[in-house]
Amino acid sequence: MSRPKVFVTRLIPEAGLNLVLNACDAEVWPGELPPPRNVLLEKVRGMQGILSLLTDRIDGEVMDAAGSQLKIVSNYAVGFDNIDIDAASERGIFVGNTPGILAETTADLAFTLLMAAARRIVEGNDYIRTGNWKTFKPMELLGRDIHHATLGIVGMGRIGTELARRAKGFDMEIIYFDHRMRSGKGESSGARMCDSLAELLARADFISLHVPLTPETNHLIDNAALARMKDSAILINTSRGSVVDSDALFDALKSGQIAYAALDVTDPEPLPPDHKLLTLPNCLITPHIGSATVATRNKMAVMAAENLLAGVSGKVPDHLVNPGVLPHHKMEGASNG
Ligand code: DGY
């Protein structure tokens, strides 16, 4: 029996890649950068599966270029804003993602950014390296207390919940707002739900974003949202860059409307080295490393590979993003995985 043909858009950890190579006739894009659009359109032709990254835009054009035999797009990420979900469902194509396994690791990074911003760690490091450390100074590099400060979590899904657990250990007061009105999730960590985002923005000392990127959350943090924050507020973003309006954030940081931002995701991404946000001392930026630990990236690779292998054999993947596909799915040979 012939092996399913799949295209893997980048080298992923061997733990998952080997599962794919052992079971499929796989082509793996070897480049350090994502395949250019024309290459992607060319490479997917005739494939039954695509293992994609968040940097690949997988829309109807890519699906049609692949052909009607395409059964699954398996994303090596929990976020799937790079994929046109409706287009996939209409064409009977499963979409898989990697939920859960990266929640603690990403929450670790969000809390790391919170602490680094509060205690001005990067500025301190630069201060020494640029020869400014002459003596102990009573009023130099003063930061903010983390303990007993108020943390506002926007989006109380798995990552937000893990962040709340960490914050509880630091005696923070935790408040949250959830667009999907998921109440009860944060309460186990002592978090209290706010009635509105506006209330959270006005009350929090630290605001951490954990929403998926959707039309509703695009530029959720805009001029008006920033204007509601305290002038001492510290904004943390480990979700998607476009949840924050970068121009509005620049203006708010530059004018002192808010105190600090710590971003693991940016808009645009990657951020060009001459971007205006990089001129600000009160903006700490890391290169989208929320899930970047050896163990978590291995787990993501295995989960993405397992979703892919299920999909190419006509089974519903364990981590299906688009249940809307099921009515459109050609059920010949399909089982419930
Ligand atoms: C995701 O999974 O969506 C993260 O942004 C990358 O791991």
Side-chain angles (χ1 to χ4, degrees):
M1 208 175 114
S2 68
R3 287 148 52 99
K5 291 176 73 178
V6 301
F7 181 53
V8 180
T9 67
R10 213 84 59 77
L11 276 170
I12 60 168
E14 280 184 3
L17 189 60
N18 286 342
L19 296 176
V20 177
L21 296 178
N22 288 339
C24 302
D25 181 1
E27 175 156 7
V28 183
W29 176 248
E32 214 187 320
L33 297 178
R37 182 77 181 171
N38 61 327
V39 174
L40 179 65
L41 290 169
E42 168 70 30
K43 292 289 181 191
V44 296
R45 188 169 305 149
M47 298 291 167
Q48 281 143 277
I50 301 172
L51 195 153
S52 54
L53 267 63
L54 53 86
T55 42
D56 306 306
R57 182 162 52 85
I58 308 291
D59 53 14
E61 188 187 16
V62 173
M63 296 170 200
D64 291 340
S68 59
Q69 77 299 323
L70 181 65
K71 290 185 174 151
I72 180 156
V73 176
S74 173
N75 217 31
Y76 177 76
V78 63
F80 47 85
D81 46 280
N82 58 309
I83 300 174
D84 185 335
I85 298 300
D86 291 341
S89 297
E90 284 158 15
R91 290 166 176 76
I93 299 166
F94 296 126
V95 178
N97 71 339
T98 63
I101 44 173
L102 47 74
E104 291 168 274
T105 300
T106 306
D108 284 348
L109 184 81
F111 207 76
T112 302
L113 292 177
L114 183 156
M115 292 205 286
R119 300 305 302 270
R120 304 176 63 180
I121 299 299
V122 173
E123 285 167 88
N125 186 55
D126 290 347
Y127 182 79
I128 298 171
R129 288 171 187 269
T130 48
N132 284 309
W133 192 16
K134 307 284 189 236
T135 183
F136 174 89
K137 290 189 183 171
M139 287 173 296
E140 195 76 320
L141 284 169
L142 305 188
R144 311 270 170 192
D145 277 331
I146 297 160
H147 62 87
H148 300 103
T150 299
L151 169 63
I153 299 177
V154 182
M156 193 54 104
R158 294 184 185 90
I159 300 171
T161 305
E162 286 298 333
L163 180 64
R165 290 193 330 112
R166 282 150 182 74
K168 188 182 179 191
F170 279 73
D171 289 330
M172 297 186 86
E173 184 191 340
I174 308 156
I175 56 177
Y176 71 98
F177 178 73
D178 195 285
H179 286 79
R180 289 187 261 171
M181 297 313 282
R182 290 173 293 199
S183 62
K185 295 208 79 169
E187 273 70 4
S188 59
S189 352
R192 282 203 311 103
M193 190 162 92
C194 293
D195 291 333
S196 64
L197 177 62
E199 181 196 338
L200 179 144
L201 298 177
R203 284 181 51 197
D205 299 308
F206 298 88
I207 295 154
S208 192
L209 306 176
H210 300 284
V211 289
L213 177 61
T214 63
E216 189 193 10
T217 62
N218 187 51
H219 286 195
L220 181 69
I221 303 301
D222 57 6
N223 278 314
L226 289 157
R228 291 185 192 280
M229 297 180 194
K230 298 179 183 178
D231 60 8
S232 55
I234 294 177
L235 176 70
I236 298 124
N237 190 10
T238 55
S239 61
R240 285 290 183 267
S242 306
V243 173
V244 177
D245 176 343
S246 296
D247 290 332
L249 178 63
F250 174 82
D251 291 344
L253 289 168
K254 182 93 182 160
S255 67
Q257 188 176 47
I258 71 166
Y260 209 104
L263 313 172
D264 184 48
V265 288
T266 57
D267 177 23
E269 196 169 304
L271 204 64
D274 59 353
H275 193 278
K276 59 186 176 182
L277 279 174
L278 293 170
T279 64
L280 298 172
N282 53 346
C283 188
L284 185 175
I285 306 183
T286 52
H288 204 145
I289 55 170
S291 63
T293 66
V294 174
T296 293
R297 288 285 168 86
N298 281 341
K299 287 184 206 163
M300 288 169 65
V302 169
M303 192 178 272
E306 288 175 348
N307 285 338
L308 182 80
L309 298 186
V312 292
S313 54
K315 295 179 186 156
V316 181
D318 280 348
H319 304 285
L320 179 70
V321 164
N322 59 335
V325 71
L326 297 174
H328 300 269
H329 193 245
K330 306 153 220 113
M331 294 306 282
E332 330 89 69
S335 78
N336 211 4

